[in-house]
Amino acid sequence: MFRRAVRLLIGSGEGLGLTSGRLRLAAIGFGVIYALIVGRLVQYAVAPNIDEIERVAQTVAAIQRPDIVDRNGTVLATDVKVSSLYAEPKNIIDVDEAVDLLSQALPDLNAKDLRAKLSTKKGFVWLKREISPRDQVKVFRLGIPGVAFVQENKRVYPNGTQVAHVLGFADIDNKGIAGIEKYLDTSGLTRAAALEAGKGGRMAPIRMALDLKVQHAVRDELAEGMKKFKAIAASAAIADVDTGEIVSLVSLPDYDPNIPSDALKPEAINRVNTGVFEMGSTMKALTIAMGLDSGKVSLQSRFDARAPLQYGRFKIHDFHPQRRVLTVPEVFIHSSNIGTARIALTMGVEAHKAFLKKMGQLDRLQTELPESARPLVPARWGELNTITISFGHGVAIAPIQSVMGVSALVNGGWLMKPTFLQRTAEEARAVSTKVLRDQTSVQMRYLMRLNAEKGSAKKADIPGYRVGGKTGTAEKVIGGRYSKTKNLTAFTAVFPMDKPRYMLLAVLDEPKALPETHGFATSGWNVVPVGGRMVERIAPLLNVEPDYEAPTATALLGGIPTGSVQE
């Protein structure tokens, strides 16, 4: 029976050769099918989840950021490619073995967390971001199925702390968290640059108004001044008064954006944009400009400063009392609280409030930097508030608001919002508001230059650069009361005063008196010389040529009569 079945299957002997060929062909066919099945099973068992990996790879590849460069093209922030380690837990054959091998190769991995990640049935988990090439080789040699690498972008800041508060930083996923980096994301500039690059174009860099060379000089001088006068903090900003561009911004203590956790230190805030301070006598420049612009006050106007100004139970004193009637230029160069308060009272409470609001001092100032602060303004503003605010006490503002306000005093009366991106004078003027008469601006240039020639800003009168400015010393509020020992000293400088181009604001927080300052800790003894050294270093970098035959303060008025100034 069996033999017959075999003969039926293979046929007669004559056809044996043909049947053998058929058997071989059938065997080959079955072998191919078997191999395909086995291969597919192996693929499902150990091959990567291609769709998941591609999705993650596309995600991390898409988070690329345009370079940030300074106004001269120097790179401030850029992306570099780094490898990161991931796993597909559902394809891990032996979790215990994988944990043991990875823990030995990468001792900084937490074995407990690693085991928890690899014990899930997820298609993808991160094991270590930004792995070093040496560690990458170690893991590669382990040959663990289900463990591999993917390339992603990492943000780096070649200049470290130098531009920290302007740039901000990006997180481990290359998303902007603070500063210009956050602005690039929220404004859509990051996405627009990436889309352009995806079309085969080049990702254009973001060009800042900031000048890295100027930034370095300002930070260097500010750090030296902070150290010398034992201040707890310091800040400075340089603005182009014709464009509103911020050419430099420094806030100390600062942080390294390459180490984002450093930015969480409470002392590492951007004091120029997010700090609010009573700016002291620098506010007097705005008060006097208000009086002059109204026409109710002229340079020849005189104000009685023979005795303290009595208001109810309060007395307003001068720090350096002249005990006589003062002209407006004398009120300015002697920084008379009494004279400034009388100018404000001449205008009245409502006019004072309206002027400060027009000058951008009472509202939150928002720039490209997401970080900003709301001014502290009295809820009920009466005559006493107008008196104290006129000379810089009673309203706390962000220093960048002072930069904006004082720039308008000297640039012809144009109030322009500061910008950290490049723009032309024409572009700035198109979005600016005329807030002062041309003549008022000329008069303020005269007063500020006069203060450097004869007043409290003499230590910043760098030969050839025609500096003008206003000093300010404000007692800090500690525990709800003004401290007699802790001051904030500020210096607003403009140069060159015959044709104003740049404005500098420098601030020292709680500077200490030194033997060489004769026990004084007011601005004329500390922040003014610091500001002078800044001007001396940065003016050549900004192409401001020295002129040793420059006009005097009086000549700046162009024939406008001045009030007398007693020597």
Side-chain angles (χ1 to χ4, degrees), residues 6-7 10 12 31 34 67 70 100 110 124-125 153 166 221 223 265 301 347 349 363 404 410 475 493 545:
V6 170
R7 279 198 299 270
I10 65 175
S12 63
Y34 178 77
D67 286 355
D70 82 339
D100 184 51
N110 183 288
F124 182 96
V125 292
N153 296 302
V166 176
E221 292 297 338
K265 296 181 293 188
S301 298
M347 297 297 300
V349 172
D363 300 305
M404 177 177 68
V410 299
E475 296 174 345
E545 296 183 1

Side-chain angles (χ1 to χ4, degrees), residues 452-465:
E453 291 179 350
K454 301 181 178 182
S456 56
K458 285 189 290 188
K459 292 184 183 297
D461 190 14
I462 306 302
Y465 291 115

Side-chain angles (χ1 to χ4, degrees), residues 304-324:
D304 189 355
R306 291 174 294 179
L309 175 62
Q310 185 81 40
Y311 189 90
R313 60 188 181 90
F314 298 98
K315 281 187 177 183
I316 308 302
H317 298 267
D318 282 345
F319 189 73
H320 295 293
Q322 302 299 302
R323 296 185 176 87
R324 57 184 174 85

Side-chain angles (χ1 to χ4, degrees), residues 364-388:
R364 183 195 296 268
L365 174 59
Q366 293 181 310
T367 64
E368 292 89 358
L369 300 193
E371 302 81 20
S372 64
R374 189 179 301 280
L376 301 179
V377 180
R380 301 179 63 182
W381 189 320
E383 276 197 342
L384 181 58
N385 300 104
T386 277
I387 288 172
T388 59

Side-chain angles (χ1 to χ4, degrees), residues 330-344:
E330 289 174 330
V331 169
F332 194 87
I333 68 172
H334 295 302
S335 201
S336 171
N337 295 337
I338 300 169
T340 307
R342 292 191 184 280
I343 291 173

Side-chain angles (χ1 to χ4, degrees), residues 146-170:
V147 174
F149 303 93
V150 66
Q151 270 202 334
E152 53 181 336
N153 296 302
K154 173 182 171 61
R155 200 62 159 172
V156 295
Y157 304 92
N159 303 288
T161 60
Q162 290 289 323
V163 204
H165 287 101
V166 176
L167 296 179
F169 57 93

Side-chain angles (χ1 to χ4, degrees), residues 195-252:
L195 288 174
E196 187 65 28
K199 295 175 183 177
R202 183 180 179 184
M203 188 178 286
I206 304 299
R207 191 172 293 271
M208 305 288 292
L210 187 134
D211 187 314
L212 185 61
K213 297 188 299 294
V214 174
Q215 179 81 358
H216 173 76
V218 170
R219 187 181 183 278
D220 188 42
E221 292 297 338
L222 192 66
E224 284 295 315
M226 181 176 164
K227 179 180 178 181
K228 177 177 180 179
F229 295 104
K230 300 178 175 62
I232 63 171
S235 58
I238 311 288
D240 184 321
V241 302
D242 289 331
T243 65
E245 293 172 302
I246 300 299
V247 180
S248 172
L249 184 151
V250 178
S251 181
L252 301 176

Side-chain angles (χ1 to χ4, degrees), residues 2-38:
F2 177 73
R3 292 177 180 175
R4 185 178 179 185
V6 170
R7 279 198 299 270
L8 288 173
L9 179 64
I10 65 175
S12 63
E14 294 79 8
L16 187 60
L18 179 61
T19 303
S20 298
R22 289 175 179 172
L23 285 174
R24 284 194 294 271
L25 183 63
I28 291 171
F30 279 118
V32 170
I33 294 172
Y34 178 77
L36 289 174
I37 293 172
V38 171

